Amino acid sequence: MRIGYFLSCEEYTPAQLIEQAKQAQDAGFQSLWISDHYHPWNDEQGQSPFVWSIIGALSQVVSIPVTTAVTCPIMRIHPAVVAQAAATSAVLHDGRFVLGVGTGEALNEHITGERWPFAEERLEMLEEAVGVMRELWDGGFVTHHGKYFTVDQAQVYTRPPEPPKVYVSAFGPRALEVAARIGDGYVSTMPDAEMVSRFRDLGGGDKQVQGGFKGCWAPTEEEGVKTAHRLWANSGVPGELSQVLPSPKHFEQASQLVTEDMTRSSVACGPDPSKHAAQLEAYEKAGFDEVYIANMGPHYAELMEMYRTEFL
């Protein structure tokens, strides 16, 4: 199982993200995830730069693969524009760019004022969007009049020799079927062996499966718990709330239901590598090909050093 580093655009400035990417490559991480948000989950995180600018900058400082985790190409940005952005990114990264996609969250996608669709509708939109992007990557002028999207005589001129791979995020049974059918790979944030097995049985075969989790390096476990809870208590918000809440303020309200003890039990906090080892082992046993670790808080250099000496 390969180990990569997860760049959290919600928490760090552009300069810090570039610094982390360079440090991650130097430490021996084999690839990068990067989140694609318009808003952070809460005001305490405080950042959210435009991911395509960061991806372009990354191409000048690292040579390891980069995957968006994940981009929603159905509302905030039209799939024809995402197709152009992904193609340019693949050219800049010499083919080492993967477009991770999903059905998104209202938090980021409602900003244009469009109605937030139901989950089944968003899946239909995602499938059509991926089809539009693949057609544009094939070259030539494209005109498309679909159920959800229209493309009028568009052509992506700057394209890599091979189209970008598309990995699909999925959590429910219907989404998993779509991911297995249209994706070049599968993305999840849960070490669920049953989901991996079902993805492969539904048609995923030997396609790549990526997973990821967050940790919080700190000098002590207690400091790590407090930092993780202050910045990322939203990770404990259950069910579909994370998909439907429209603003950071709403996540802050919902996160009041998440206690420090809940954060302590779910996040690898502090300097102990054994907690990270347990997380990595869970993903490995579940059948993941790649797993990505993100740091919460200011001690990302220390987390990378721990991974360099203990795991990489």
Side-chain angles (χ1 to χ4, degrees), residues 15-215:
Q16 288 174 320
L17 293 168
I18 300 303
E19 178 188 37
Q20 288 182 34
K22 291 189 291 186
Q23 291 177 347
Q25 179 170 271
D26 291 344
F29 287 93
Q30 294 170 288
S31 48
L32 297 169
W33 261 10
I34 185 166
S35 56
D36 181 357
H37 272 236
Y38 193 90
H39 293 136
W41 297 101
N42 55 59
D43 284 351
E44 192 68 30
Q45 291 171 358
Q47 294 291 328
S48 206
F50 188 53
V51 71
W52 300 106
S53 299
I54 305 300
I55 290 170
L58 290 176
S59 72
Q60 304 303 296
V61 297
V62 299
S63 58
I64 53 178
V66 176
T67 301
T68 54
V70 293
T71 291
C72 177
I74 66 174
M75 288 187 67
R76 172 170 42 114
I77 304 181
H78 192 283
V81 180
V82 177
Q84 183 189 30
T88 299
S89 298
V91 170
L92 283 168
H93 285 270
D94 293 327
R96 295 183 299 271
F97 173 77
V98 174
L99 179 63
V101 299
T103 56
E105 305 91 14
L107 173 71
N108 302 302
E109 308 306 324
H110 80 284
I111 60 166
T112 62
E114 297 294 324
R115 175 185 67 84
W116 180 238
F118 294 110
E120 287 294 317
E121 190 177 3
R122 298 201 310 275
L123 270 176
E124 290 182 354
M125 296 173 74
L126 181 64
E127 186 167 357
E128 184 178 337
V130 170
V132 165
M133 292 189 293
R134 291 195 192 281
E135 191 173 358
L136 285 162
W137 292 332
D138 283 342
F141 279 92
V142 173
T143 295
H144 171 90
H145 298 287
K147 183 176 180 180
Y148 298 105
F149 303 108
T150 296
V151 180
D152 184 16
Q153 302 180 78
Q155 180 171 349
V156 174
Y157 278 85
T158 300
R159 294 180 290 117
E162 298 292 331
K165 291 187 181 299
V166 178
Y167 290 8
V168 180
S169 172
F171 297 97
R174 169 66 178 142
L176 197 64
E177 183 274 324
V178 172
R181 179 160 43 81
I182 72 170
D184 299 306
Y186 168 49
V187 174
S188 179
T189 54
M190 299 180 294
D192 190 324
E194 182 180 352
M195 293 288 281
V196 174
S197 178
R198 289 184 64 188
F199 168 77
R200 300 204 183 283
D201 291 343
L202 286 167
D206 60 357
K207 295 175 182 177
Q208 293 293 293
V209 175
Q210 296 183 338
F213 66 94
K214 289 181 170 63

Side-chain angles (χ1 to χ4, degrees), residues 3 6 34 69 76 87 99 115 150 171 237 247 250 259 274 293 298:
I3 300 176
F6 188 178
I34 185 166
R76 172 170 42 114
L99 179 63
R115 175 185 67 84
T150 296
F171 297 97
V237 173
S247 78
H250 292 101
T259 66
S274 67
I293 170 67

Side-chain angles (χ1 to χ4, degrees), residues 222 225 229 258-267:
E222 192 60 32
V225 170
H229 191 71
V258 181
T259 66
E260 278 195 11
D261 284 341
M262 293 166 67
T263 299
R264 187 189 309 274
S265 65
S266 62
V267 179

Side-chain angles (χ1 to χ4, degrees), residues 216-225 268-273 275-276 306:
C216 183
W217 196 99
T220 66
E221 179 184 9
E222 192 60 32
E223 182 180 334
V225 170
C269 296
D272 185 357
K275 298 179 179 181
H276 291 263
M306 179 181 72

